[in-house]
Amino acid sequence: MNKRTLAISGAAIAALGAAAILLPNANANPDETSGAKTFSSPAAVKLARSLASDLGDNGAGWYYDGANRQLVMNVMDQDSADSVRAQGAVAKVVQNSMAELKAATETLSSDASVPGTAWSIDPVTNKVQVTADRTVTGAKWATLTKATGQMEGTVSVRRSQGEFKKFDGEEAAQPGDNGDNGGTGAGDAAGDAGAAGDAGAAGGAGDAGTGAVGGAGDAGTGGAGDASGGAGDAGTGGAGDAGGGGDAAAGGLDGGDAIFGGGARCSLGFNVSVDGAPGFLTAGHCGNESQTWSSDQAGAQQVGTVQDSQFPESDFALVMYDDATTQASSTVDLQNGSTQEIGRAVEASVGLEVQRSGSTTGVTDGTVTGLNATVNYGNGDIVNGLIQTDVCAEPGDSGGAMFAEDAAVGLTSGGSGDCTQGGETFFQPVTAALEATGAVIGAGDGGAGGGDAAGGAGDAAGGAGDAAGAGNAGSGNAGAGNAGAGDAGAGDAGAAAGAGDTGSDTGQSLN
C-alpha cells in the first residue's frame, strides 16, 4: 500500500470517526425541528397546555415561534423530547426546570427588591430575565448584582435606558397631542374648540341635543360636525340617530378611550358586565387616583364609579357605569375610525402577537416576551404576576386594552421608554382581573346600537363625549363644540377616535 493510499485511508477513518461522534449529538440536538408541524397561535396554545399537563415536572415552559409558526416546548430529558416531537411540536432540552426558575424569582423578591427593577421568566432563554432601569446605580446596583451573582446560569441581567413608571398621565397632558401616534391620535388637540366650533355650528346641530350621542360628526368624512349635510345629518339620519343606536350608546366608551379622574388621565381597558350591570376595567393605580371617572377633562360628563381597585401587588380596577342602562359595547377603539370586537379573554403566552390601544399613543403592536413578571415602581409599589411585552406605551395609556384579535389579554400597567425610542411595557392579565371581580367580557354587548353604529354616526368610540358631530351631545353645547375630552374640530371625540370616525370601517377585523 503506497503512501497516497495510506493517506486516503487515514482520512476516511478520521471522517468516519468524526461522523460517529457527530451523528449521536445531531440526533440529540435540543432544538431539532425535523418533522415539526406549523400551528396557528390559538392551536399552539391549546396543544401546549395539553403537553404541559402531560409533562408535569419534566416540562419547563413553552413559547410560540411566530416566525416559523411552531410551538417550542422546553423539556428536561430526551424521553420527554421524543413525546413532544411525536405531537408535532419542537422539543428543546433545557437546563433549568420550572421549579428552579420560580425559586429564582422568589429569591429575587426577598434579596433584590430594588426600585427600578423588573423580572420575568423567559422560556426562550430558559432563564429569569432581570431588567434594571437607569435609576439602579450605586448601592441599588450592588444589591442587585450580589443577589443575581449567586444564581449564575439561572438569571440574566440587562440594563434599560428608560425608567420604570406607571403610565397614568396628568389631565393637562392631552391625548394624542399631535395625532402622530396610532392612527388619529386619541383626541387631537383636545380642547381646541376653535375649529371645533364648526362641529356644533354646522347645521345648528349642537343641540342635537339631549343625548345626541355619536352625533353626526361621525358621518364618515372625518370632519366633526361637518359631515356633508351639516352636523346632525350624519348621512344616515339626524344627529342622535346614530344609525339607530346613538342614544343607546350614551355613556358607553370603547377600550382605549380616555377617562379622567382626580387630576389624572388614563385609558379604559375593556367593557364588562357584572350580574348584568355595565362596567369597565382599567388599571388599579388609576382606580386609586379617583373614585369617579369622566369622559371629559372638565368632569362634566361623569360616566362611572370605582367599585373595586387593586394596587399594588395587582393592578386592576372595576368601574361601574353610573347609568345602569348604558349599552357598553365589547369593543376596542382602533383609533382609525373602526373598532375591534372583543368576545373573550385569554391568558398570555410568550411569542403571542398583541396590540394595545391607549388614549395617548393610539394603537401599537408587539409581542409577549415574559410571564409572571414582577415590577418595582418604587415607593413600595411592587406588582406581581404581570405580562411583559415589547409593546410601547406612554403616560395616559394606563389601563388601556391589550388584545390579540378578538381576545382580551391585558390592561396597561407601566414600563419604560416611549413610542419614539421603544421600550418594554407590563400588563395586568385580564383573566385574573375578571376572576377577582366576577366580571364578564362580551356579555351585555349593546350590539350595533351600543357603539358599533354601522354607518359611522354614533360610533361609541366617541363615547367620551361622543362624537363631536352634534357639538357635545353630553352638554348640548353646540357652540363650544366640546367633544367630550376635547377636540370636536379635529373630528376626535377627545377620548379617542370617536368623532369624525370613518364609519364604514367600524367593526373592521384586525386581520
Side-chain angles (χ1 to χ4, degrees):
M1 185 178 294
N2 61 35
K3 292 181 179 180
R4 184 171 182 274
T5 304
L6 284 170
I8 294 174
S9 299
I13 292 171
L16 288 172
I21 294 172
L22 292 174
L23 287 175
N25 288 339
N27 291 335
N29 184 350
D31 296 308
E32 183 179 358
T33 60
S34 176
K37 299 178 181 178
T38 58
F39 299 92
S40 65
S41 180
V45 171
K46 183 177 181 180
L47 176 58
R49 289 176 178 164
S50 174
L51 287 173
S53 177
D54 293 340
L55 290 169
D57 293 339
N58 288 323
W62 57 273
Y63 60 95
Y64 180 63
D65 178 356
N68 295 308
R69 293 172 54 83
Q70 293 176 332
L71 169 64
V72 182
M73 299 292 300
N74 292 341
V75 297
M76 300 303 299
D77 57 52
Q78 194 60 47
D79 287 342
S80 298
D82 292 341
S83 64
V84 164
R85 293 186 186 113
Q87 296 297 315
V90 176
K92 184 177 179 180
V93 180
V94 296
Q95 177 182 349
N96 300 312
S97 68
M98 187 56 67
E100 290 171 323
L101 295 175
K102 290 180 177 178
T105 64
E106 293 172 1
T107 299
L108 289 168
S109 295
S110 61
D111 298 349
S113 187
V114 176
T117 59
W119 53 79
S120 64
I121 295 175
D122 178 11
V124 178
T125 62
N126 185 230
K127 293 182 179 180
V128 175
Q129 178 68 62
V130 179
T131 305
D133 72 15
R134 65 187 178 192
T135 69
V136 181
T137 58
K140 293 196 295 184
W141 177 250
T143 298
L144 179 63
T145 55
K146 179 180 179 180
T148 57
Q150 299 173 359
M151 295 181 285
E152 186 176 356
T154 306
V155 172
S156 61
V157 181
R158 69 181 184 88
R159 299 303 301 257
S160 169
Q161 297 302 312
E163 179 179 347
F164 290 133
K165 57 189 175 184
K166 303 180 291 292
F167 281 137
D168 51 329
E170 296 180 359
E171 288 185 356
Q174 294 300 324
D177 280 340
N178 294 314
D180 292 351
N181 298 313
T184 62
D188 270 90
D192 181 5
D198 296 342
D207 46 346
T210 64
V213 178
D218 281 358
T221 65
D226 192 40
S228 70
D233 275 327
T236 59
D241 274 340
D247 287 337
L253 308 177
D254 286 327
D257 286 353
I259 52 175
F260 301 86
R265 174 170 60 84
C266 290
S267 300
L268 186 147
F270 298 96
N271 283 316
V272 297
S273 65
V274 181
D275 296 329
F280 61 81
L281 295 174
T282 188
H285 66 266
C286 293
N288 287 1
E289 292 283 341
S290 176
Q291 190 65 19
T292 58
W293 289 84
S294 303
S295 61
D296 66 318
Q297 182 176 342
Q301 299 178 52
Q302 181 175 316
V303 294
T305 303
V306 174
Q307 178 171 302
D308 185 14
S309 185
Q310 301 294 324
F311 180 85
E313 295 188 10
S314 296
D315 196 1
F316 65 85
L318 172 64
V319 181
M320 300 305 294
Y321 282 105
D322 292 334
D323 183 353
T325 65
T326 297
Q327 298 296 306
S329 293
S330 185
T331 47
V332 170
D333 190 347
L334 297 183
Q335 317 275 354
N336 64 358
S338 64
T339 57
Q340 170 64 47
E341 292 286 341
I342 302 295
R344 58 200 175 103
V346 298
E347 294 181 4
S349 56
V350 172
L352 178 68
E353 295 181 355
V354 292
Q355 291 182 291
R356 177 200 54 74
S357 180
S359 64
T360 297
T361 56
V363 176
T364 57
D365 57 26
T367 304
V368 173
T369 58
L371 302 176
N372 197 30
T374 293
V375 184
N376 189 328
Y377 292 119
N379 299 317
D381 292 342
I382 302 173
V383 187
N384 302 307
L386 298 179
I387 302 164
Q388 184 169 351
T389 76
D390 59 9
V391 182
C392 72
E394 297 180 8
D397 288 330
S398 273
M402 180 172 74
F403 56 101
E405 298 182 343
D406 68 337
V409 181
L411 305 167
T412 308
S413 176
S416 70
D418 55 39
C419 288
T420 299
Q421 300 177 348
E424 52 267 313
T425 302
F426 300 90
F427 295 83
Q428 163 70 45
V430 167
T431 51
L434 294 174
E435 182 178 358
T437 59
V440 177
I441 277 184
D445 190 340
D452 199 9
D459 186 336
D466 263 291
N472 192 350
S475 66
N477 185 355
N482 295 326
D487 184 353
D492 290 42
D501 285 0
T502 306
S504 61
D505 291 334
T506 300
Q508 177 179 340
S509 169
L510 289 176
N511 296 324

